Amino acid sequence: MTDVGLSDLGVGDIDVPYLDVSPAAGDTAGTATLHRPDGTSAPLAVTAGVVSTDPVTGVASRRLTSEPITFTQAGKWVLSWTATGTGAGAEDAVFWVTPRPAAGGPTWTPGLSRVAAYIPRLTVDQTTPGSATERGTFDDHTNPTGQVAQRHIDDAVAEVAALAGTVPDALHALASAIAARRAAASILRAYGDDRSGQNALAFAAALDARADTDLTRLQTEIAEDEEPYGIDVAPAYSFPPAVPWGDYI
């Protein structure tokens, strides 16, 4: 049974979560219960897809898809899946929903999945033995968890904001990319190992170097944007006429 976690989301987002069950057969079915941050819960309608067989492994699987979810609250959401029949089992998908914009931070703050895109191997499910599935975000199944990764993001955003100041709307995407690379480098230094598939410290240094270059560019763009418009005018000086006796010794 393989669950697919949801990426980081913001209040107001809508998503359709699903669960891939393997092995599976025609009797594979399932239910889903959504637990909201405020403590309330609700069952979700689940639709079972067709049973498909992997041509290489010969193992059959079936996708269970829940009804769309509208995320109305910030905080930790839990989607509890229960599969019945062939491939029976239970799985919880834990994910985080942030306020929009994120409380206490600028609107250009990158999300967990944006940072994970730079270090995808660190998003592999660590709770399922032998799993090689990259979840594409950080959550309770990854190392670091979503909470820890978010602390690295918060620190990276604080650094960029302190060095760049107020970022104009047109430069939000650049500021977000810089903070994402900074956070990815920080996470890689703390958690990088053979999972990254490369020299973690060298890759972190490369991410930081790119962030440094882009930060300089961002600071330059902001400085130019803040320069006053107008034409420089040379100063004009005026002196009283010289007195005639000033020419005599």
Side-chain angles (χ1 to χ4, degrees), residues 86-224:
T86 303
E91 192 77 46
D92 286 343
V94 180
F95 48 97
W96 299 88
V97 176
T98 61
R100 199 177 291 281
T107 56
W108 46 263
T109 298
L112 292 169
S113 60
R114 178 74 179 274
V115 174
Y118 291 102
I119 45 177
R121 292 300 299 167
L122 296 188
T123 70
V124 170
D125 185 352
Q126 297 294 300
T127 62
T128 303
S131 174
T133 302
E134 295 176 1
R135 299 177 66 81
T137 188
F138 297 99
D139 54 28
D140 283 2
H141 294 267
T142 61
N143 184 34
T145 64
Q147 287 178 308
V148 173
Q150 188 61 54
R151 295 191 189 105
H152 287 266
I153 294 174
D154 292 342
D155 288 346
V157 169
E159 178 186 349
V160 174
L163 295 174
T166 302
V167 179
D169 291 348
L171 297 175
H172 279 190
L174 179 58
S176 181
I178 295 169
R181 293 189 186 102
R182 275 275 193 266
S186 179
I187 293 171
L188 199 55
R189 286 193 176 91
Y191 291 88
D193 49 30
D194 57 346
R195 287 181 294 152
S196 65
Q198 55 200 317
N199 185 314
L201 293 180
F203 185 36
L207 286 170
D208 268 337
R210 177 67 185 276
D212 288 341
T213 299
D214 285 343
L215 180 58
T216 299
R217 175 187 164 200
L218 177 66
Q219 292 171 317
T220 300
E221 293 285 347
I222 292 176
E224 290 179 351

